[in-house]
Amino acid sequence: MIAFTRQLLPAALLCSALSAQASEVLMGDFWVVHYQGGLGKNQVFLADGDPKNIFNRPGGAQSLGVYQLYEEPGKPNFTTYDVEIDCAKNRVRIMGAADFRSVFNKLLNVKYSSQWQSKPDAWLAQSRDFVCKPAERQAKKMERLGVMPASQISKAGPHLFGILNREAAKTAIMQKIDEGFAQMSAK
């Protein structure tokens, strides 16, 4: 996990547009809030933590943009979610979702439940904690990628997946080494 953290900054720099951006380009402060999957099937969830992009909703809730990037072939490039978070009541729900596939070059609406989640998926719980408990981001292994145009997030995926796959391979190798030492000491 430590190597993953060390490699996020170069990945973010590779993904960032270094030239000046036009004022109408949506900029965000992107964070990895959750990742899951395995070799060749990783998914990374990025939240936009820019205060200008977190909106107040009626009843004290807030709206946050979360992007799910997919490594697996046949999946969309990413899915974008409008996540509503109510910190006071410790709850979360999805208010909108759309897939982006570069083949169509447009967002296509997907099904979702707009009900408050009694047992939210890990990425939803992490998204809630991202907004409600910002002081705990580092402890919850949330990593800042940095400020970049929203259009650059799909380019971040391959870099992040490469990092996750290297870490998974290292973990598998270390497990085999540990098993080998365990067998040697048992004899």
Side-chain angles (χ1 to χ4, degrees):
M1 181 52 73
I2 292 171
F4 179 68
T5 304
R6 287 185 196 141
Q7 294 180 23
L8 282 177
L9 183 57
L13 291 174
L14 288 171
C15 301
S16 297
L18 299 176
S19 61
Q21 300 296 319
S23 62
E24 68 270 0
V25 173
L26 175 63
M27 297 293 286
D29 183 11
F30 293 98
W31 289 69
V32 174
V33 293
H34 181 73
Y35 52 91
Q36 62 192 29
L39 194 59
K41 296 183 180 186
N42 286 302
Q43 297 176 22
V44 175
F45 294 83
L46 304 178
D48 183 356
D50 188 329
K52 294 182 295 195
N53 298 331
I54 298 175
F55 302 99
N56 292 323
R57 293 267 174 94
Q62 295 177 302
S63 175
L64 173 73
V66 178
Y67 302 85
Q68 179 180 12
L69 292 99
Y70 303 90
E71 180 182 26
E72 190 173 1
K75 295 275 189 181
N77 295 69
F78 64 88
T79 301
T80 180
Y81 296 96
D82 175 12
V83 177
E84 188 172 272
I85 297 162
D86 185 343
C87 293
K89 296 181 181 175
N90 196 33
R91 58 187 188 167
V92 62
R93 66 179 172 177
I94 298 171
M95 296 302 292
D99 285 341
F100 177 79
R101 294 179 186 266
S102 59
V103 173
F104 304 117
N105 198 30
K106 65 179 179 177
L107 291 170
L108 303 170
N109 290 333
V110 296
K111 290 183 180 182
Y112 62 91
S113 170
S114 62
Q115 300 297 314
W116 291 108
Q117 303 292 311
S118 59
K119 292 184 179 182
D121 290 339
W123 73 271
L124 276 172
Q126 287 285 92
S127 298
R128 178 195 60 216
D129 292 347
F130 177 79
V131 173
C132 299
K133 302 173 185 174
E136 296 179 16
R137 289 176 182 169
Q138 188 175 12
K140 292 185 177 271
K141 303 204 184 316
M142 296 180 196
E143 301 291 339
R144 185 172 188 256
L145 289 177
V147 176
M148 67 181 81
S151 62
Q152 295 293 312
I153 63 166
S154 65
K155 293 180 182 175
H159 299 292
L160 294 171
F161 298 140
I163 293 166
L164 289 171
N165 286 329
R166 282 191 300 275
E167 288 299 311
K170 286 179 191 175
T171 301
I173 290 168
M174 291 307 295
Q175 182 179 359
K176 290 290 185 190
I177 291 171
D178 290 344
E179 289 170 3
F181 280 128
Q183 288 178 355
M184 287 173 43
S185 66
K187 291 182 178 181

